[in-house]
Amino acid sequence: MTVEFRVLGPLEVLLDGEPVPVPAGRCRVLLATLLLRPNKFVSVDELVDRLWDGEPPTVDRANKTLHQTVLRLRQALGAANCVRTTAGGYLAEVGRNELDLLRFRELARSGDFASATELWRGAALANVASESLHRDEVPLLEDERLVVLERRIDADLDRGLASELVAELSLLTQQHPLREHFWAQRMSALYRSGRQAEALECYREITALLADELGVDPSPELRQLHLAMLNGEATAQTERSRQVICQLPPDTANFVGRESLFREVAAKLTASDDGVPVVVLSGAPGVGKSAFTIRTAHRLRDRFPDGQLFVRLNGAGAAPRDPAEVLGELLVALGVSITGMPDGLEARTAAFRAQLADRSMLVVLDDAVGPEQVRPLLPGIPGCAVLVSSRQRLVQIEGAHGLRVPPLSREDGFSLLAGVIGESRAATDRDAVGAIVNACGGLPLALRVAGARLAARESLPLRSLARRLSDERRRLDELTTGDLEIRATFGPSYEALPADAAAAFRRLGLLGSTDVASWAVGVLAGGDGERLVERLVEANLLDEVGLDPTGEPRYRMHDLLAVYAAELVRDEDQELVTAAQRDYVEVLLTLADEAAQDWFAADDTPKRPITRSKLLEPAEIERLTESRGKWLLAEMLNIDRAIALCLDHHWVESAENLLHRALVYLDVYLPHERILQVCERVREVALAEGHDLIAWRSHLRLTSQLVTRNVSEEVIAEYARCVDGFEAAGAQAELAVALGALAYYKMLHTGQPQIALAERAVAAARASGEPRTHASALRELGTMLATEGRHVESVRVFDEALVLSRKIGDRNDLAMVLNRIGSSTLASGDLERASAASREALDLISALGDDRGAAYCTVLVSQVDLALGDASAALIGAEKALSIFEALGERRGSIRALAVAAEADLALGMVEKVIDLATTALENYADAGDTAAEERLRAALAEAKRRV
């Protein structure tokens, strides 16, 4: 199935080449608005303004109209639907080849202006009735088209097609009489066609027009062209008044990859926004910044017809170049005589900018040391662009776009290595080539060293070098040949560090190549993390990779730098190294405990107490973890690695404590398979070390992850095993949790309430003395009673749980109890209490940022809305919850949301949609294990078929 969306002309949608009718009116306005910003969020407020083309009568009516329009549009598009719901708005999800606007921009960026202009089929969105759309958006599209059209005509003139262009340019100057570049092109076409008098008449015509309309003279471009024609100098080769300059060094041989980065750089350097485009490329040592910069400049030569200036600024050397000296060199290249050369930095900067004022040139500044070196070398007005490479990010340069040159991808690394050793040799053992590429971390310098070694020894098996590189202890020794040596690239920078920064660099080798915050550097090295990080960044041994979700700066070593650091740390006193690792784990656990203090899964085992580290001040701990969940997200991978570190050292209790505090929040963010692996490993190591209770706690956590995918006999059997294990260990709190889970999921699977199991859970919870566990067990018993229809008893138990939860004060626990109260009272017909309880639960869980919990609460609120007669609100809520469940892979939640959506659609009279939705849901979620949701879907399907 192929889908194509078209906005460069009348709005059209094609599915496998056949038109898909889009209803006129608001549906077309909505689709056009979203397609003009492909794959980007558009807020509800903005869409409402666009659809109403003015002030809507009420907010409620506007939002309902928007929702109905979205539903109509999705139904009309059918299999071609690209409209996706996001928090607070919508977006059009389209591929690069599915939207003509994206193809147009891609062709323009690549220099294929002719193909780009051919995509236009007439006036943009001619069949979309929207005053604001044609006032605010279409003119911008038209301007894009004209710029590309001008460039296409420039290319045609250069190809000698002057005569063929005269008629087209005559029409264009009539349609766009104040667009001077079309007049210049028309004059050139006439002149080159031997029609000099008509060319000169064109100049008189535009001169008079500009004077009458705007009271201005023609642009310098037109005046210089006119003068050249009068002097008989305007030939195809001499029409430009200044000599084209190209100072670029030769391009790199066997250059591979970077296409996506090149397109991004090209788009920013050729943007039509106000100001001079400046792009700063930075990256790790040896990543190929200079090579990519030079190649990019070569590929963009046609975009800057007046030439390319190139200067090496020697920022990484001992003597960075003086910008005044550089300006003198550039001014001479631009034609300024030595005798007329101004003195001083400011005067030369002014002269340089004057020389570039009427030119379209690319200024390439390679290996810049800092902003003070770059600022004097920037042009003053738009027309030119600047491409900078530097070991620094140079964020101080106003308006600069900072882009990182990343290591090569596996595929590109393979291509580079194959280019050095020969495609036929690489094809003999592709697995070995892939292993070499991985060992080099995508670093071009390392790949070229490896390739040079292989090229020098044609008989050396590829697998032999791959095996040698797989050993991190020998890797840097292997990446050496002739005068090329990776270690030599890193060594001098490390050796120049002061002792404390050198220790920090070595200790980071314990963590490998991962993002870290400055506190981690300080804990590992026993010093001021912020200051140590600054020293390492200055030495180009650590890259700043931006801010984490909490706003804290993050830092990362390149893979080979991490290997180098690990090599160095192996020579340290191992008792000191182990102590540093223990300190790091204890601080990480302390921070996780603080961040997770608001997170207690009511159906989870109680947290085991820890001894909090004192290496960080309490105020610093509070600052770092202020945003709670965001901190856990930022440290997600480091927590995962720290658990593995603990298990390697047999620190089982620390591993389980860290897992428990992190997983209560991160289980919706870490890959599901990874969570299972970690839980399994903690369980196995705990068993091996004789920590039976920790092993069963880990097994229960593992089972709780399995049940999110489906409720099966196998999963229920694992819960039963946990019950037996905790009972044998005499762990009452854990036993209560396991019994409650067994009761709940067995009820879901069989449809039969498990009151006896729930009563056992309550008894064990009371015996444990854990208030949260007691509240959780009461909640499950209340659910069982309500399911059996014993609503009076159910309410009494729920009220006991509610009192206990409010006393505890844990919002997550309270939300769970309220959610079950809402479900029970909905079933008994007490809609007033059901509405109050379910909405309070949703408010509480949403404030905590628990996406999964909020989705389940949203499903319940939608069921209550439906029972109260508001099917539209129910449908909105169900669709919102469904999008969250699908993103999380939560199949049990998905089928519940689909059941509500089907019932809401049925209430709204959309019987055909109900049939499609329910049929598909019952097929796709047959193994989800929620009997009640399946029955509701079947009932909705039967009723919809009856109404057809």
Side-chain angles (χ1 to χ4, degrees):
M1 181 184 74
T2 59
V3 182
E4 185 177 0
F5 298 92
R6 298 178 176 180
V7 295
L8 305 182
L11 177 65
E12 292 181 355
V13 180
L14 302 178
L15 181 62
D16 290 332
E18 295 297 322
V20 177
V22 180
R26 290 191 172 117
C27 282
R28 290 188 189 177
V29 174
L30 174 64
L31 180 59
T33 301
L34 295 175
L35 289 175
L36 289 181
R37 299 185 199 175
N39 303 308
K40 293 184 179 179
F41 164 82
V42 183
S43 70
V44 167
D45 290 343
E46 186 173 351
L47 290 171
V48 166
D49 290 342
R50 187 74 73 202
L51 292 186
W52 282 94
D53 234 356
E55 188 72 21
T58 65
V59 173
D60 182 60
R61 182 178 173 189
N63 289 334
K64 286 185 178 179
T65 299
L66 172 59
H67 177 66
Q68 291 296 330
T69 304
V70 170
L71 290 177
R72 286 185 60 215
L73 178 58
R74 285 172 168 168
Q75 290 172 342
L77 293 176
N81 177 41
C82 65
V83 180
R84 303 290 179 259
T85 303
T86 62
Y90 298 87
L91 61 79
E93 185 178 61
V94 292
R96 187 172 60 187
N97 294 320
E98 293 178 339
L99 176 62
D100 58 357
L101 178 59
L102 290 176
R103 293 201 303 276
F104 168 76
R105 288 170 174 166
E106 179 69 19
L107 289 168
R109 281 194 292 267
S110 67
D112 189 354
F113 305 122
S115 298
T117 55
E118 288 174 0
L119 291 176
W120 283 78
R121 299 167 290 107
L125 305 176
N127 60 341
V128 179
S130 170
E131 180 180 340
S132 62
L133 200 61
H134 288 278
R135 179 189 65 237
D136 300 333
E137 303 286 353
V138 171
L140 300 177
L141 272 184
E142 176 65 9
D143 191 59
E144 279 191 68
R145 181 184 76 87
L146 293 177
V147 169
V148 173
L149 180 57
E150 288 173 345
R151 292 178 177 174
R152 190 226 84 201
I153 293 171
D154 281 335
D156 287 347
L157 284 169
D158 290 342
R159 290 165 51 210
L161 302 178
S163 297
E164 292 87 339
L165 292 169
V166 170
E168 180 183 5
L169 286 164
S170 296
L171 180 60
L172 287 171
T173 52
Q174 292 177 24
Q175 294 173 338
H176 309 280
L178 299 179
R179 203 169 183 96
E180 293 182 71
H181 194 63
F182 281 146
W183 285 94
Q185 290 173 325
R186 181 181 173 190
M187 290 167 61
S188 296
L190 288 167
Y191 188 91
R192 296 186 192 185
S193 302
R195 299 160 68 173
Q196 181 178 359
E198 293 176 70
L200 295 173
E201 178 58 32
C202 274
Y203 182 74
R204 287 190 287 271
E205 186 177 346
I206 183 57
T207 299
L209 180 63
L210 291 171
D212 291 344
E213 294 289 334
L214 303 176
V216 298
D217 293 327
S219 66
E221 176 190 14
L222 281 171
R223 295 200 303 271
Q224 291 161 9
L225 179 58
H226 178 243
L227 182 61
M229 289 178 177
L230 291 175
N231 295 333
E233 299 171 351
T235 66
Q237 289 74 33
T238 63
E239 281 179 4
R240 292 196 178 115
S241 61
R242 296 184 177 103
Q243 180 182 1
V244 174
I245 301 169
C246 182
Q247 297 181 322
L248 298 177
D251 201 355
T252 303
N254 294 327
F255 191 96
V256 300
R258 315 286 198 207
E259 282 301 316
S260 176
L261 181 61
F262 168 75
R263 289 192 294 271
E264 190 173 4
V265 173
K268 293 184 183 304
L269 288 176
T270 58
S272 58
D273 299 339
D274 293 337
V276 177
V278 179
V279 171
V280 177
L281 297 169
S282 61
V287 80
K289 298 182 294 296
S290 293
F292 175 71
T293 299
I294 293 169
R295 184 170 188 83
T296 298
H298 275 284
R299 293 181 63 178
L300 292 177
R301 285 190 62 191
D302 64 327
R303 312 285 186 95
F304 300 94
D306 293 320
Q308 301 80 37
L309 300 172
F310 180 88
V311 181
R312 292 192 191 277
L313 296 176
N314 298 338
R321 296 193 64 186
D322 186 329
E325 174 195 341
V326 171
L327 284 167
E329 179 182 303
L330 292 174
L331 287 170
V332 170
L334 291 167
V336 176
S337 66
I338 297 294
T339 57
M341 182 69 61
D343 289 331
L345 179 61
E346 291 187 9
R348 289 187 177 185
T349 298
F352 176 65
R353 290 171 178 167
Q355 286 291 322
L356 296 184
D358 297 325
R359 304 191 197 219
S360 177
M361 301 190 78
L362 178 63
V363 181
V364 183
L365 307 175
D366 184 48
D367 195 16
V369 68
E372 297 79 8
Q373 192 183 33
V374 171
R375 286 193 185 104
L377 307 179
L378 301 179
I381 61 175
C384 294
V386 183
L387 181 60
V388 185
S389 71
S390 175
R391 292 191 175 193
Q392 308 293 327
R393 293 175 61 195
L394 303 187
V395 294
Q396 304 92 334
I397 298 176
E398 297 78 4
H401 300 283
L403 298 174
R404 288 183 56 79
V405 180
L408 293 174
S409 67
R410 178 181 170 87
E411 294 76 13
D412 289 337
F414 195 105
S415 297
L416 175 57
L417 192 58
V420 176
I421 67 175
E423 293 285 350
S424 58
R425 187 178 180 189
T428 62
D429 194 341
R430 299 182 69 85
D431 289 342
V433 173
I436 294 170
V437 171
N438 289 342
C440 292
L443 203 65
L445 177 60
L447 288 165
R448 292 188 184 278
V449 171
R453 286 194 61 189
L454 292 169
R457 297 181 58 190
E458 294 186 4
S459 62
L460 180 67
L462 300 178
R463 193 167 296 277
S464 175
L465 181 58
R467 185 176 60 254
R468 288 171 173 269
L469 290 174
S470 67
D471 183 357
E472 288 191 0
R473 294 174 178 268
R474 300 175 52 188
R475 186 173 299 171
L476 296 182
D477 291 329
E478 298 296 334
L479 292 174
T480 303
T481 182
D483 62 349
L484 294 177
E485 183 183 2
I486 295 300
R487 186 182 283 106
T489 303
F490 304 149
S493 296
Y494 166 72
E495 291 163 5
L497 292 172
D500 57 351
F505 176 77
R506 294 192 305 271
R507 298 287 174 81
L508 280 172
L510 297 169
L511 302 183
S513 182
T514 184
D515 293 356
V516 296
S518 60
W519 69 262
V521 180
V523 169
L524 285 169
D528 183 342
E530 288 287 352
R531 191 178 61 82
L532 293 172
V533 160
E534 288 177 6
R535 296 303 298 267
L536 293 177
V537 170
E538 289 170 3
N540 300 308
L541 295 175
L542 195 64
D543 290 322
E544 189 173 11
V545 294
L547 302 179
D548 66 23
T550 72
E552 192 76 8
R554 305 292 287 192
Y555 307 91
R556 184 184 183 91
M557 278 185 177
H558 181 270
D559 293 354
L560 288 180
L561 277 172
V563 171
Y564 180 55
E567 178 182 274
L568 295 172
V569 81
R570 283 195 292 270
D571 294 332
E572 278 201 66
D573 183 325
Q574 289 306 297
E575 287 189 9
L576 294 177
V577 170
T578 301
Q581 290 175 306
R582 187 78 204 187
D583 286 343
Y584 170 70
V585 167
E586 289 178 355
V587 172
L588 190 65
L589 178 55
T590 299
L591 291 166
D593 185 67
E594 182 73 17
Q597 65 175 312
D598 292 336
W599 290 91
F600 180 87
D603 53 357
D604 198 359
T605 54
K607 295 176 185 174
R608 296 162 65 89
I610 66 168
T611 301
R612 291 164 69 92
S613 171
K614 297 181 180 179
L615 288 178
L616 294 184
E617 294 292 331
E620 179 69 357
I621 292 173
E622 184 177 354
R623 183 190 71 81
L624 288 170
T625 60
E626 182 180 7
S627 54
R628 308 299 184 201
K630 289 182 179 179
W631 183 88
L632 288 167
L633 277 177
E635 297 294 346
M636 176 168 61
L637 295 181
N638 290 329
I639 291 171
D640 186 4
R641 292 187 178 192
I643 293 170
L645 171 66
C646 290
L647 295 175
D648 289 342
H649 284 281
H650 304 284
W651 301 335
V652 178
E653 292 189 20
S654 293
E656 202 267 344
N657 281 330
L658 197 52
L659 175 63
H660 195 172
R661 281 150 179 82
L663 199 62
V664 71
Y665 182 81
L666 293 180
D667 66 336
V668 299
Y669 296 101
L670 280 166
H672 183 66
E673 292 303 320
R674 179 56 188 161
I675 296 173
L676 300 182
Q677 292 169 5
V678 174
C679 291
E680 286 173 349
R681 184 151 187 245
V682 173
R683 179 189 64 190
E684 297 308 317
V685 174
L687 281 173
E689 295 291 319
H691 295 280
D692 291 349
L693 180 56
I694 291 178
W696 280 115
R697 283 167 62 93
S698 300
H699 191 73
L700 178 61
R701 190 166 294 110
L702 172 66
T703 307
S704 297
Q705 290 298 319
L706 292 172
V707 82
T708 65
R709 295 308 187 256
N710 67 302
V711 183
S712 62
E713 291 286 352
E714 292 77 13
V715 173
I716 291 171
E718 293 306 314
Y719 274 121
R721 286 187 62 205
C722 291
V723 167
D724 293 342
F726 290 131
E727 198 160 35
Q732 294 298 319
E734 286 83 354
L735 174 61
V737 172
L739 282 167
L742 178 61
Y744 180 72
Y745 291 114
K746 195 169 184 179
M747 180 193 72
L748 277 185
H749 188 64
T750 63
Q752 300 299 316
Q754 307 293 315
I755 293 178
L757 286 173
E759 288 175 338
R760 285 179 61 194
V762 171
R766 285 200 179 101
S768 75
E770 290 284 350
R772 286 188 174 92
T773 305
H774 189 187
S776 173
L778 288 170
R779 188 190 71 225
E780 297 304 338
L781 177 58
T783 301
M784 301 301 145
L785 292 169
T787 305
E788 197 167 79
R790 294 159 64 178
H791 294 293
V792 174
E793 296 172 77
S794 168
V795 169
R796 184 173 64 251
V797 172
F798 276 135
D799 283 341
E800 183 182 353
L802 186 60
V803 170
L804 189 56
S805 295
R806 292 196 188 279
K807 183 178 179 180
I808 294 169
D810 185 281
R811 290 179 291 173
N812 187 54
D813 188 30
L814 179 58
M816 292 287 286
V817 173
L818 286 166
N819 184 264
R820 294 293 179 84
I821 290 174
S823 180
S824 174
T825 50
L826 172 64
S828 67
D830 186 355
L831 298 185
E832 182 178 354
R833 188 170 187 192
S835 179
S838 63
R839 294 179 201 283
E840 185 180 356
L842 177 58
D843 290 343
L844 286 167
I845 211 73
S846 297
L848 288 172
D850 180 357
D851 291 342
R852 175 186 283 141
Y856 276 110
C857 289
T858 299
V859 169
L860 178 59
V861 169
S862 296
Q863 287 181 269
V864 174
D865 284 337
L866 188 61
L868 290 170
D870 193 345
S872 294
L875 183 58
I876 293 172
E879 289 181 342
K880 180 179 179 181
L882 180 61
S883 67
I884 297 173
F885 287 134
E886 288 180 341
L888 296 175
E890 186 92 356
R891 296 175 59 75
R892 180 162 49 88
S894 294
I895 194 171
R896 288 190 182 185
L898 287 165
V900 179
E903 291 166 343
D905 284 330
L906 190 64
L908 292 169
M910 295 186 285
V911 292
E912 295 291 345
K913 183 181 176 184
V914 173
I915 292 172
D916 291 341
L917 185 152
T919 302
T920 303
L922 287 168
E923 290 175 357
N924 293 344
Y925 294 91
D927 61 345
D930 194 319
T931 304
E934 290 181 20
E935 288 302 318
R936 287 165 53 206
L937 279 167
R938 290 191 183 95
L941 178 60
E943 177 61 20
K945 287 181 176 179
R946 188 188 67 78
R947 294 186 191 180
V948 173

